Amino acid sequence: MNIRVTRTFPQNYDGDLLVCFVRQTEGGGQPLCEHAMVEKHLKAAFSRGDFVGKDEQILLCYPIENADLCLPKRILGVGLGKEAIEAETFRKAGGIIVNTAKKTKTREIMIILPECDLPVSVLSQCLTEGLMLGNYSFDKYKTKKNDDDSPQTSVEAITFSCAKDREARQGVKTGAINSEAVIRARDMANEPGSSMTASDFVALSLDLHKKYGLKREVFGKTDLQKMKMGGLLAVNRGSAQPPALVVLEYRTGCKVPTLLLVGKGLTFDSGGISLKPGTGMQDMKYDMCGGAAVMAVMQAIGSAQPKNIDVIAIVPATDNMPGGPALKPGDIVRLYNGKTVEVVNTDAEGRLILADALAYGVKHYQPDAVIDLATLTGAVIVGLGHHTAGLMGNDDALAAKLEQAGALSGEPVWRLPLGKQYRKQIDSSVADLKNVGDKGAGTITAGAFLQEFVGEAKWAHLDIAGTAWDFTEKSYIPKGPSGYGVRLILETIRNW
Ligand code: BES
Ligand code: ZN
Ligand code: ZN
């Protein structure tokens, strides 16, 4: 999808679809563009009370052809409601526009950017995200791409008309980099567990190394044995696929803070010997969404080349399978930092592979901050549903950064407590820790487990089990994987 910006006002536009935003007012609607033809059509709808510019309301109309006038084939009014306009308003609007366009024969769109309280760069960034992400579909495995009866077309070109064209162009660029990264994360997650394995994470890291010059290190099974990565190796024991620990580094070459990102790359979670129930197990191909988000962030960083921060990404990758040599409930494993863990439930595997990766990353890179993303517990869905990710951590300033970025990016987080009471729940009688807490607070005891592996580093943990897929349904967020976390982390990095 190609988005360009023009300063020219589309007075004589005669293309496929002309879009104007509309505010809801007391008496009806208020078009946010001064285009006589558009106003004429919208006003007809206002006067009849059919369309008043409510949030997410749309009006699609078809100007009667007139040989003397240049007319667009379609006019679309998009309601922005009467509440304060936020960044999210334009993401949702972008999704609505592209979905409407796809239901018609529209191939090309002209959008008149409105004047409002948001900076033009933010407005155009968010609109770009809504358009590109709303346009997403995963049909790689569909033999027949389209239903013959539906007019479903693909939108090829979009133009924003805006007097502040330089600012708008900047926003489009950021929005496109963000969206391409989110699309990458969604594509990875949509792949079946058998075609998205640890070696596919390795292959992707090679692509990112070649394309953006990111420094890359990959540790295979024998390396992991030498390094004593007991958690990742234990989880991998029942699998036919070898594990991998993938490391990517983005360096500015300047004296800037170092951020370490760690993502759970569990490519399929059967539960292992503590096998999950069959119903819904297919969704466990999404258990690598944390790893996908981290890789996607590195793609965006490689493309945007920020000057304010060095970023290290680590993804421990394996599936969790119940093969003959599989880890057994009751087994005791020693993790990278020397701590021993009694494995009470082999389905609580994410914390075992993350613990190794966190301890390794903290020791080798001495980062100024650490953020991990993981589809870690079903309990976070009980607590926060599919709308908000669980945030835990040992540093208020880092947590605040994520809360702020969450609000701006439309990927909200909610902080949960950590503390001695919760840590006590994972005391084991035979090892330093057990991998499952005593009853209650399942999300927090998982966080308390991870805390044992970050030492003194400033650290935040995001439990994205509820948001990585089936995230709050919106025009630009499909069912299935959402790519949650990518925009949140990129926003955090930009504001660092
Ligand atoms: N990958 C799952 C967490 C999960 C569950 C994500 C449901 C998305 C939807 C994780 O590995 C897991 O199985 N966690 C267990 C932990 C339990 C055994 C303490 C869980 O949440 O049930
Ligand atoms: Zn599990
Ligand atoms: Zn899992």
Side-chain angles (χ1 to χ4, degrees), residues 75-88:
I75 292 173
L76 179 68
V78 179
L80 299 180
K82 53 185 173 192
E83 310 295 332
I85 292 181
E86 297 169 345
E88 191 63 7

Side-chain angles (χ1 to χ4, degrees), residues 264 266 269 276 284 287 320 347 349-350 375-376:
K264 173 177 172 183
L266 210 293
D269 186 7
K276 284 183 182 294
M284 283 300 137
D287 209 16
N320 182 23
D347 196 10
E349 82 301 334
T375 49
L376 207 60

Side-chain angles (χ1 to χ4, degrees), residues 374-393:
T375 49
L376 207 60
T377 66
V380 81
I381 310 176
V382 178
L384 299 172
H386 291 281
H387 311 298
T388 308
L391 163 67
M392 283 139 276

Side-chain angles (χ1 to χ4, degrees), residues 4-13 18 34-35 110-113 159-166 169:
R4 47 182 287 276
V5 178
T6 175
R7 281 188 69 157
T8 318
F9 190 77
Q11 202 58 54
N12 298 316
Y13 174 76
L18 180 59
E34 283 169 14
H35 190 290
M110 168 68 73
I111 304 177
I112 303 173
L113 297 199
T159 308
F160 293 173
S161 162
C162 178
K164 295 181 183 163
D165 57 329
R166 244 170 46 97
R169 226 164 263 130

